[in-house]
């Protein structure tokens, strides 16, 4: 287990300087653009290892929390550590390829809405990812089972961008597992995947996490999925509180209603609405 700690962390996205059209008259006043709100203010929390699901309303900061934990973003104030290392050590990862590899070998990231274009077919890409990770031998032992459980056996001859959105997500999940870093952040990794497939995949991931000691953090909107497979829950409340605990406790009706500040039944309506919107906007397999 690689503990991740947040100590007094504050984070605000930087203001974006959008190019403004030149005014007809020179302005004497500043345009009235409100400063962005902080996503986190003085947050202290320890994220447990194992298979951990992040649950919370849209826009509350699930992706941001994972990006900070995975050393893809850095706090304005306070400290984030992963495996005892301050994530600031990786602040230049974007400019130093060796540092980037070192970070990725510690914690890999499946981004929300991630997509790939490749010249090679999936059947060549997957072994390439496994060979280039920190533990090719371990990757080899799970390769066949993973291809099977991710339902990719029939798609190995296809190039990444020729996959449907749901197949693409399953392929990216498979890649993240084959890379074999000890910590994997998965930001909404199965939203376009057909529910039975997603359930099977997460069941397998949860078992592997327990057996191999890999820490998997996944943000999901499907509470039932989290209930079925999470060992721990990170529940992010509308008021900014971040709670860590057992699925039975934190995913209980009262707890979810407090966090989402919404009646329980509407949470399920919202979840279905969210999925429906995604199905319509993507050529996915979830709506088939
Ligand atoms: N790149 C960005 N630039 C500016 N603001 C951002 C950026 N990404 C997110 N935000 C803002 O930060 C807050 C937290 O967003 P975040 O994406 O972490 O939420 P989330 O819980 O992952 O939401 P969702 O469930 O929709 O994925 C939101 O108010 C969002 O508008
Ligand atoms: Mg998000």
């Amino acid at each position: 287990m690689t503990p991740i700690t947040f100590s007094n962390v504050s984070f605000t996205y930087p203001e974006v300087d959008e190019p403004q059209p030149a005014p007809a008259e020179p302005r004497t006043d500043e345009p009235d653009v409100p400063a962005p709100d902080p996503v986190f203010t003085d947050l202290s929390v320890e994220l447990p290892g194992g298979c951990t699901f992040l649950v919370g309303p849209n826009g509350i900061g699930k992706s941001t929390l994972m990006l900070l934990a995975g050393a893809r973003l850095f706090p304005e104030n306070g400290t984030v550590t992963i495996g005892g290392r301050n994530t600031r050590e990786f602040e230049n990862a974007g400019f130093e390829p060796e540092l980037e590899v070192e970070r990725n070998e510690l914690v890999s990231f499946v981004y929300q809405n991630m997509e790939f274009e490749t010249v090679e077919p999936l059947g060549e890409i997957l072994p390439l990812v496994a060979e280039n990770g920190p533990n090719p031998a371990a990757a080899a032992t799970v390769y066949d089972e993973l291809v099977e459980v991710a339902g990719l056996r029939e798609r190995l001859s296809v190039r990444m961008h020729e996959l449907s959105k749901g197949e693409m997500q399953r392929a990216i999940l498979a890649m993240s597992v084959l890379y074999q870093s000890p910590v994997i952040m998965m930001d909404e990794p199965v939203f376009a995947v057909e529910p039975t497939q997603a359930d099977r995949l997460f069941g397998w991931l949860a078992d592997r996490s327990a057996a191999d000691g890999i820490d998997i953090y996944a943000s999901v909107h499907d509470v039932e999925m989290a209930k079925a497979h999470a060992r721990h829950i990170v529940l992010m409340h509308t008021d900014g509180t971040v709670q860590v605990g057992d699925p039975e406790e934190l995913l209980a009706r009262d707890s979810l209603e407090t966090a989402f500040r919404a009646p329980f039944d509407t949470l399920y309506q919202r979840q279905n609405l969210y999925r429906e919107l995604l199905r319509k906007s993507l050529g996915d397999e979830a709506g088939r």
Side-chain angles (χ1 to χ4, degrees):
M1 176 185 155
T2 309
I4 298 176
T5 60
F6 283 62
S7 308
N8 308 105
V9 168
S10 300
F11 180 82
T12 308
Y13 280 97
E15 235 166 310
V16 182
D17 287 330
E18 287 187 13
Q20 302 290 328
E25 297 285 321
R27 292 186 66 136
T28 51
D29 59 328
E30 284 296 312
D32 192 16
V33 182
D37 288 330
V39 184
F40 300 115
T41 307
D42 205 25
L43 173 68
S44 294
V45 68
E46 182 161 328
L47 304 185
C51 190
T52 299
F53 279 53
L54 286 85
V55 176
N58 283 132
I60 198 62
K62 298 180 295 295
S63 297
T64 310
L65 190 87
M66 297 176 95
L67 291 163
L68 287 163
R72 269 67 180 176
L73 289 177
F74 304 94
E76 237 167 274
N77 292 304
T79 309
V80 178
T81 68
I82 177 163
R85 299 180 68 173
N86 190 325
T87 58
R88 287 207 183 280
E89 287 182 39
F90 300 110
E91 230 164 354
N92 287 329
F95 312 102
E96 297 175 23
E98 280 180 16
L99 192 62
E100 186 181 12
V101 170
E102 195 182 332
R103 179 198 63 187
N104 295 348
E105 287 187 353
L106 177 62
V107 49
S108 56
F109 211 106
V110 175
Y111 295 94
Q112 196 165 347
N113 279 322
M114 202 168 185
E115 293 197 347
F116 276 114
E117 272 199 29
T118 59
V119 178
E120 301 85 2
L122 181 61
E124 283 179 33
I125 298 290
L126 291 178
L128 209 63
V129 172
E131 283 158 25
N132 284 287
N135 198 345
T141 64
V142 294
Y143 187 91
D144 281 332
E145 211 178 298
L146 179 57
V147 166
E148 204 57 48
V149 81
L152 295 171
R153 182 77 60 208
E154 309 298 320
R155 308 302 283 151
L156 293 175
S157 59
V158 173
R159 292 179 295 177
M160 287 295 282
H161 54 276
E162 292 164 345
L163 297 170
S164 75
K165 181 69 190 173
E167 288 169 346
M168 170 85 76
Q169 284 197 320
R170 289 190 265 127
I172 289 172
L173 261 188
M175 279 184 193
S176 75
V177 175
L178 290 173
Y179 190 70
Q180 288 282 318
S181 55
V183 187
I184 313 174
M185 298 283 161
M186 301 180 173
D187 195 359
E188 309 231 7
V190 291
F191 69 73
V193 175
E194 182 271 311
T196 320
Q197 285 265 14
D199 192 56
R200 193 162 72 118
L201 199 41
F202 260 115
W204 186 84
L205 285 171
D207 289 347
R208 291 268 45 93
S209 165
D212 302 342
I214 296 172
D215 294 329
I216 293 173
Y217 296 91
S219 66
V220 289
H221 281 278
D222 186 337
V223 172
E224 291 306 319
M225 178 88 72
K227 268 187 189 154
H229 303 298
R231 188 165 148 211
H232 309 285
I233 296 293
V234 175
L235 181 61
M236 302 185 64
H237 289 239
T238 306
D239 69 2
T241 312
V242 178
Q243 243 184 324
V244 175
D246 294 333
E248 309 85 69
E249 186 195 339
L250 293 192
L251 299 179
R253 186 187 182 106
D254 288 359
S255 163
L256 288 173
E257 285 187 338
T258 306
F260 282 74
R261 277 208 201 123
F264 189 69
D265 296 337
T266 66
L267 298 185
Y268 281 87
Q269 283 164 15
R270 271 203 237 172
Q271 181 186 305
N272 290 337
L273 193 67
Y274 184 69
R275 182 174 273 281
E276 201 53 42
L277 281 172
L278 287 166
R279 275 180 197 169
K280 282 186 183 146
S281 64
L282 298 162
D284 73 344
E285 61 182 9
R288 282 184 200 159

